[in-house]
Amino acid sequence: LPPFWHTHTHIMVKGGRGGGSKKKAQSKSAKAGLTFPVARIGRALRTMRLAKRYGAGGPVYLTAVIEYMAAEVLELAGNAARDNKKSRIIPRHITLAVRNDEELNKFLGGVTIASGGVLPNIHSVLLPKKSKVAGKGASQEF
C-alpha cells in the first residue's frame, strides 16, 4: 500500500446508485475552456461521414483551432476598424486585416470576401515622374 493511505480513514467509493450529491451538467465546451460549441462541431464531423469513428478529443481540438482562427481575424479586423475610426467591423475591415497579415493572407489566399474590396495599391510605374530641374517643364504641377 502507498504510505499516505494510513492517514485517510474515510475512502469514497465511486459509482453506485443515487445517494450522492448530483453534479451540475457541464458542456464539452466548458470542460475544454472554449467559447465555440464542441458538441455541435462533433455532430457536424459525424454527419460529414469523414470516418466511421472518431475519438473524443477530435472535436475539441478542431473547435479550439477554429476559435483561435476566429479570434485572430477578429482582433486584426477590430484594429483595422479602429484605424478607420469606426466602432463596427465591416467586411472591408476583415479584408484589410487578412491581406495585410502575411500568414493569414497565405491561409486565405483563394478566398474572396464579399464587399471587401482590395488593398489600396498603385504600381510605381504608374506614379508621376519626379522632375529633375524644378524650373523647367512646369506644365503640370502636383
Side-chain angles (χ1 to χ4, degrees):
L1 290 171
F4 60 84
W5 272 40
H6 66 277
T7 58
H8 299 294
T9 52
H10 59 286
I11 297 170
M12 295 291 285
V13 179
K14 269 193 162 182
R17 288 159 68 101
S21 59
K22 283 276 190 185
K23 218 180 5 176
K24 187 85 177 74
Q26 198 179 27
S27 68
K28 289 179 183 176
S29 297
K31 282 178 189 170
L34 296 170
T35 309
F36 277 39
V38 172
R40 186 180 293 181
I41 288 174
R43 189 167 64 245
L45 266 179
R46 253 183 283 124
T47 55
M48 280 193 286
R49 296 287 205 163
L50 300 170
K52 280 184 182 173
R53 311 169 74 198
Y54 65 92
V60 177
Y61 200 105
L62 180 60
T63 306
V65 170
I66 293 171
E67 185 174 316
Y68 169 75
M69 294 300 293
E72 191 73 21
V73 170
L74 279 172
E75 166 77 21
L76 294 170
N79 294 345
R82 196 169 2 99
D83 294 345
N84 291 324
K85 299 179 180 68
K86 299 277 190 288
S87 60
R88 207 173 278 173
I89 295 173
I90 59 173
R92 175 72 180 152
H93 300 144
I94 296 172
T95 298
L96 290 173
V98 167
R99 299 302 163 211
N100 284 320
D101 186 81
E102 190 185 330
E103 289 178 337
L104 274 177
N105 188 28
K106 190 177 178 187
F107 183 68
L108 301 174
V111 173
T112 306
I113 296 168
S115 63
V118 294
L119 280 184
N121 181 31
I122 303 172
H123 202 281
S124 55
V125 174
L126 301 170
L127 291 170
K129 293 180 175 62
K130 299 273 192 287
S131 56
K132 289 186 176 98
V133 183
K136 195 178 176 194
S139 60
Q140 279 189 325
E141 282 297 325
F142 290 106

